[in-house]
Amino acid sequence: MVGCHPVPYPYAVYYCHGQVSDNRLFEISLEGQEDRQRIEAVAICHMDTSQWDPRHVSFRVLGIEPGAAPVCHVFPQDNLVWVSSHSSAT
């Protein structure tokens, strides 16, 4: 699985990166608190963070330690996720 994020440039340029570990991709529905509008989004969850740097910003924001819980992030509309056609759903 590879995630790609747009970079500011006059042309369509993306910064793409992947990680060889236990990651999962989810299609999720988000609902606005005030207007109750719903949108569909993609989230990537890093299921095993035990080998991450303990000073990683995710741990400070979430108040957890490496390996304690998955770390997930929702991709904005203009980001891309590439997955192998051989991936199997679990």
Side-chain angles (χ1 to χ4, degrees):
M1 178 180 339
V2 175
C4 297
H5 314 282
V7 294
Y9 197 75
Y11 307 99
V13 175
Y14 287 84
Y15 166 69
C16 298
H17 60 99
Q19 187 179 42
V20 180
S21 65
D22 187 14
N23 300 315
R24 295 198 180 155
L25 177 67
F26 297 94
E27 182 178 359
I28 61 174
S29 295
L30 301 172
E31 183 176 292
Q33 287 183 344
E34 294 179 16
D35 60 9
R36 311 301 274 183
Q37 286 188 334
R38 295 175 66 94
I39 62 167
E40 302 300 314
V42 172
I44 292 182
C45 294
H46 303 280
M47 305 308 286
D48 180 9
T49 59
S50 61
Q51 301 301 310
W52 288 20
D53 184 336
R55 297 168 297 176
H56 193 281
V57 67
S58 296
F59 301 129
R60 288 193 308 250
V61 170
L62 298 171
I64 61 173
E65 296 180 4
V71 172
C72 303
H73 49 104
V74 177
F75 271 46
Q77 183 176 356
D78 60 350
N79 286 224
L80 304 170
V81 179
W82 295 93
V83 296
S84 169
S85 63
H86 299 153
S87 294
S88 60
T90 57

